[in-house]
Amino acid sequence: MTLILGIETSCDETAAAVVANGRHILSNIVASQMEIHRPYGGVFPELASRQHVLSIVPVIRDALSTADVSWDDIDAVAVVHGPGLTGSLVVGVNVAKALALSHDWPLIGINHLEAHIYANWLVEKQVFEEGGPEEGAPEEGGEKGNVESSPAVAQQEPDPPEFPLLCLVVSGGHTELVLMRDHGTYEVLGRTIDDAAGEAFDKVGRLLGLEYPGGPAIEKAAMEGDPSAYNFPRAWLKESYDFSFSGLKTAVLRKVQSFEKQQPGGPKRKLVTSIPQRIKRQLSIADLAASFQAAVVDVLVEKTARAAEEYKVQEVILAGGVAANASLRDAMKRRVSLPVRCPPTRWCTDNAAMVAATGYFHYLAGDRAGWDLDVIPSLLIG
Ligand code: KG4
Ligand code: ZN
């Protein structure tokens, strides 16, 4: 059994995890800073790095004790070194180096986006401990793999993802359509040319006066709304697999502004940054949220489905914070005729189990970082 300690501090979650053989989660500790950043409506970089300094040691200790393993049981440490916030990444990388030096462990540098993809390899503890009845392969077009598990029900351990596969990585900073023919090989078929999908959710959430982060808040508001209430634009960008969400964000802004203009006395300001209370009472936030979400989901799903057909992949997997969105998950399963795999929602957002899983495959490949491992805030994949 190979045990990897994963460390993640790229943004606003301080996380450490112990994963066995790249799949089995022995522990997965996440100290969220959400409440610290909420008053600012987004991540405040300096506060984030300082909070990582305070949280990282207790979080790592917790990861080892929850996994019930000692320092000597660990085979290697894997740490995210980009992309992300410089001051935040530095904390994780330096702690990982100190641990590797003092325990004589191999040090492995991990790309955060790659780690999101590897959340699809993870298996819940009670699934691999208890096992379950032998059953056939997952249904075509159905959710495959890491289904949210109930502690009372033993499940069969899912097969790992099959190559070649297509992965849609949708997070706060990135939107990438990635073809994976094997472990560690990434061909980016398309990416956003402006805002990331999560960034669009966050900006529109702020505009609509919803709480931070915008993604879950919009999803919740949209449940009460009509997705066809407003026909917001979809940026198809012709035959390309690239994405663009800034026009959509502006269209929501214009809709709010035009409504404000029709009000007696007209707008008091040139640009709406957050919807005023008096407008909020009249415009349906739920309809705006549902229509915006539908426009994002349509483009993500359609481009992924077309690429899956063109590249004849075995399955489609989703990754990153926006992959927690139920409307995206459901629409993808309806549209794609191949198996669609989504990690449980808690593994879509930032965590260290996905880092440890990625680290295992790099460990097997013999990848080792030197003491010159640096943080790369704009590290790309592929
Ligand atoms: O992957 P992640 O945790 O961090 C980054 O690597 O960026 O993704 C965070 C992003 C945020 O933009 C957040 O609003 C979005 O994921 N998000 C969602 C949902 N949950 C998180 N977007 C849409 N629907 C959700 N349920
Ligand atoms: Zn992330």
Side-chain angles (χ1 to χ4, degrees):
M1 185 164 71
T2 303
L3 295 187
I4 308 286
L5 171 66
I7 296 177
E8 153 67 46
T9 64
S10 68
C11 191
D12 60 341
E13 321 278 5
T14 316
V18 178
V19 171
N21 298 335
R23 294 206 81 191
H24 299 156
I25 300 181
L26 303 189
S27 64
N28 190 14
I29 310 298
V30 181
S32 171
Q33 302 179 4
M34 205 173 277
E35 296 312 322
I36 294 172
H37 301 290
R38 184 161 281 147
Y40 304 96
V43 178
F44 195 129
E46 195 165 318
L47 286 182
S49 49
R50 291 173 68 184
Q51 191 58 40
H52 286 311
V53 170
L54 297 177
S55 305
I56 189 72
V57 171
V59 163
I60 292 174
R61 280 184 176 277
D62 197 359
L64 266 87
S65 68
T66 304
D68 201 17
V69 298
S70 71
W71 299 110
D72 291 341
D73 296 322
I74 301 290
D75 293 286
V77 57
V79 63
V80 166
H81 71 121
L85 301 169
T86 309
S88 290
L89 291 163
V90 161
V91 178
V93 168
N94 274 340
V95 166
K97 280 188 188 179
L99 288 171
L101 181 67
S102 55
H103 296 287
D104 204 17
W105 293 337
L107 172 70
I108 302 168
I110 301 292
N111 181 314
H112 180 79
L113 300 179
E114 188 184 13
H116 270 304
I117 295 174
Y118 273 89
N120 285 283
W121 268 257
L122 294 171
V123 179
E124 192 68 86
K125 195 164 194 250
Q126 60 270 23
V127 176
F128 67 82
E129 277 183 348
E130 294 167 17
E134 281 289 314
E135 271 170 21
E139 285 169 32
E140 288 282 292
E143 182 153 349
K144 185 178 177 181
N146 306 311
V147 186
E148 300 264 9
S149 63
S150 140
V153 184
Q155 295 172 13
Q156 184 196 1
E157 177 167 325
D159 292 332
E162 259 184 83
F163 299 113
L165 61 82
L166 183 68
C167 184
L168 176 68
V169 190
V170 268
S171 69
H174 296 84
T175 302
E176 324 248 332
L177 197 51
V178 182
L179 178 65
M180 247 182 117
R181 296 189 194 277
D182 204 345
H183 288 292
T185 69
Y186 306 98
E187 198 180 318
V188 178
L189 305 179
R191 54 167 55 112
T192 182
I193 58 169
D194 41 54
D195 290 350
E199 191 180 352
F201 269 98
D202 293 338
K203 286 177 176 170
V204 170
R206 209 172 308 146
L207 170 70
L208 300 184
L210 301 174
E211 77 173 9
Y212 165 84
I218 287 186
E219 177 170 23
K220 193 164 162 232
M223 282 171 190
E224 312 292 321
D226 173 6
S228 58
Y230 301 101
N231 187 20
F232 288 133
R234 275 83 168 144
W236 295 112
L237 306 180
K238 301 220 170 86
E239 296 304 301
S240 140
Y241 288 126
D242 282 340
F243 301 93
S244 165
F245 296 108
S246 78
L248 170 59
K249 172 196 68 192
T250 308
V252 180
L253 174 67
R254 297 268 177 267
K255 181 58 69 187
V256 174
Q257 282 176 329
S258 70
F259 186 83
E260 198 178 9
K261 257 191 215 145
Q262 294 159 15
Q263 300 307 299
K268 301 277 176 298
R269 293 161 290 143
K270 275 218 180 74
L271 200 74
V272 175
T273 49
S274 183
I275 195 162
Q277 278 303 325
R278 68 194 163 84
I279 304 263
K280 218 169 165 181
R281 282 191 287 271
Q282 299 169 63
L283 251 182
S284 165
I285 297 294
D287 284 351
L288 285 168
S291 304
F292 161 78
Q293 179 175 269
V296 175
V297 167
D298 268 5
V299 178
L300 291 175
V301 167
E302 193 53 36
K303 292 204 175 214
T304 306
R306 280 191 218 156
E309 280 160 30
E310 181 179 341
Y311 289 90
K312 303 192 174 20
V313 295
Q314 294 292 327
E315 59 180 279
V316 167
I317 67 179
L318 302 188
V322 182
N325 187 284
S327 159
L328 172 64
R329 295 157 82 103
D330 293 346
M332 194 69 81
K333 283 177 225 158
R334 280 197 306 272
R335 169 69 179 82
V336 175
S337 50
L338 296 163
V340 174
R341 187 187 298 251
C342 316
T345 53
R346 63 192 173 284
W347 300 340
C348 289
T349 47
D350 292 349
N351 65 84
M354 66 187 196
V355 180
T358 318
Y360 172 74
F361 294 99
H362 282 285
Y363 178 82
L364 290 187
D367 298 338
R368 306 288 185 264
W371 298 127
D372 60 350
L373 178 70
D374 199 358
V375 301
I376 308 179
S378 54
L379 185 64
L380 295 175
I381 192 167

